[in-house]
Amino acid sequence: MKKWFSLILILAFALVLAACGTANNENEGAEGNGDANNDAAEEKATLVVGASNVPHAVILEQAKPILAEKGIELQIEEYTDYIFPNQDLDNGTLDANYFQHIPYLEAQIAEHGYEFVNAGGIHIEPIGVYSKKYDSLQDLPEGAVIIMSNSIPDHGRILTMLEQEGLIKLDENVDKTKAEIKDIVENPKNLQFEYDYEAALLPQLYEEGEGDAVLINSNYAIDNGLNPLEDAIALEDKDSPYVNVIAVRKGDENSEAIQTLVEVLRSEEIQNFILEEYSGAVVPVSGE
């Protein structure tokens, strides 16, 4: 009886040892897999990019799977204003932002001392003139009220467009990209300019019938259901120098991840998507 009892104890002890050995092997395997997973995670770069809802975030979503194939995980943070994307890029919350054109970027750098650079131009959004009252700029009456955003860097492009349409004349000694209301030297119709509004509010002012004409950036127009090609009574020339760019902190423009992002956004696949999605209301560019 004692022999049987001793044999049972020996077998039980052997089973315990076997179980411990299996557990240890599993733990070692799990640790090994964990190391492999960590290595894989380290190999995959993550880019956090701030963008306006439309068209910037939409374009980035289209680029996301292409970037994933290249080992870059794209995280998109959407913004509805023009202030916070640069603040968040400056404080490190973002790796890059994609919402602003070159004159605005340069003005922000000058005003706030941001150490930003343009990593590459992606597209142009022609600014449009919208009116509930008139079918063309030539129909605007004496003293017509023109509503613009309070973004001074946009004033030059707006005033240049109005000059090209023959409504005003600017001081020929002024850089047209930096022109302001005070630089108007001829105003035959005595147009009145109001520019105390955030750009995001302009579609609402248009819908409410404020002013005689409202100048709206294409991203806000599209985001509010307007078609710049059909609804605008005038549209900025597609050769506009106001290219929307990828902005990064100085030095980051040389990183492989940022260069890959710009490369993908300029690729034929993404350019074709922009053309098909926005039918000319957003125009892709292949260079800066």
Side-chain angles (χ1 to χ4, degrees):
M1 184 71 175
K2 289 181 179 180
K3 291 181 179 180
W4 282 109
F5 182 72
S6 298
L7 182 60
I8 291 171
L9 285 177
I10 292 170
L11 289 173
F13 183 70
L15 289 173
V16 169
L17 288 178
C20 288
T22 302
N24 287 335
N25 289 336
E26 288 175 352
N27 287 336
E28 289 173 3
E31 289 174 2
N33 290 336
D35 291 340
N37 290 336
N38 289 337
D39 290 341
E42 289 174 0
E43 290 176 2
K44 193 165 188 176
T46 298
L47 276 181
V48 183
V49 181
S52 297
N53 297 334
V54 178
H56 308 81
V58 176
I59 295 171
L60 288 173
E61 284 289 352
Q62 193 70 19
K64 184 182 283 190
I66 304 175
L67 288 166
E69 291 175 0
K70 296 178 180 291
I72 297 174
E73 181 181 348
L74 180 62
Q75 181 179 329
I76 305 166
E77 298 293 335
E78 297 187 14
Y79 292 81
T80 58
D81 73 300
Y82 287 166
I83 305 301
F84 288 113
N86 278 334
Q87 291 182 353
D88 286 349
L89 177 60
D90 185 53
N91 65 32
T93 302
L94 302 174
D95 297 309
N97 66 40
Y98 174 36
F99 77 99
Q100 62 196 324
H101 54 60
I102 295 172
Y104 184 82
L105 173 61
E106 292 175 344
Q108 287 280 292
I109 291 172
E111 181 178 353
H112 300 286
Y114 293 138
E115 294 189 351
F116 296 164
V117 294
N118 164 16
I122 309 302
H123 74 267
I124 297 170
E125 298 169 23
I127 202 164
V129 185
Y130 298 79
S131 176
K132 290 285 189 181
K133 304 171 184 176
Y134 304 100
D135 295 327
S136 73
L137 287 175
Q138 284 65 40
D139 292 338
L140 293 176
E142 174 80 15
V145 175
I146 309 297
I147 297 178
M148 310 187 301
S149 79
N150 57 6
S151 175
I152 300 300
D154 270 341
H155 291 183
R157 66 192 297 197
I158 291 169
L159 296 175
T160 298
M161 178 169 63
L162 296 179
E163 182 179 53
Q164 290 172 342
E165 295 287 340
L167 294 179
I168 61 170
K169 186 173 181 180
L170 296 169
D171 185 339
E172 60 183 16
N173 297 315
V174 172
D175 180 349
K176 299 256 178 109
T177 64
K178 299 179 180 178
E180 299 180 34
I181 305 299
K182 64 182 178 61
D183 298 316
I184 298 174
V185 294
E186 293 183 19
N187 186 1
K189 288 192 174 184
N190 192 31
L191 300 176
Q192 304 298 307
F193 295 91
E194 294 184 3
Y195 48 94
D196 297 324
Y197 307 98
E198 292 289 337
L201 296 177
L202 297 178
Q204 179 182 339
L205 295 175
Y206 162 71
E207 292 294 347
E208 293 173 354
E210 296 291 334
D212 294 295
V214 183
L215 278 293
I216 306 177
N217 301 72
S218 284
N219 61 310
Y220 287 121
I222 295 169
D223 200 23
N224 284 271
L226 295 171
N227 183 326
L229 296 177
E230 297 177 1
D231 298 322
I233 63 173
L235 200 61
E236 184 180 17
D237 191 280
K238 292 180 181 179
D239 293 327
S240 165
Y242 292 84
V243 180
N244 281 229
V245 302
I246 297 295
V248 298
R249 290 180 295 277
K250 189 174 182 179
D252 289 349
E253 72 275 18
N254 298 318
S255 80
E256 184 176 349
I258 292 297
Q259 291 183 350
T260 301
L261 171 65
V262 173
E263 177 186 309
V264 168
L265 291 174
R266 288 179 174 175
S267 68
E268 184 177 357
E269 181 175 347
I270 297 302
Q271 288 189 347
N272 287 340
F273 168 77
I274 293 172
L275 289 172
E276 293 171 5
E277 182 74 8
Y278 299 109
S279 304
V282 178
V283 183
V285 298
S286 57
E288 298 184 13

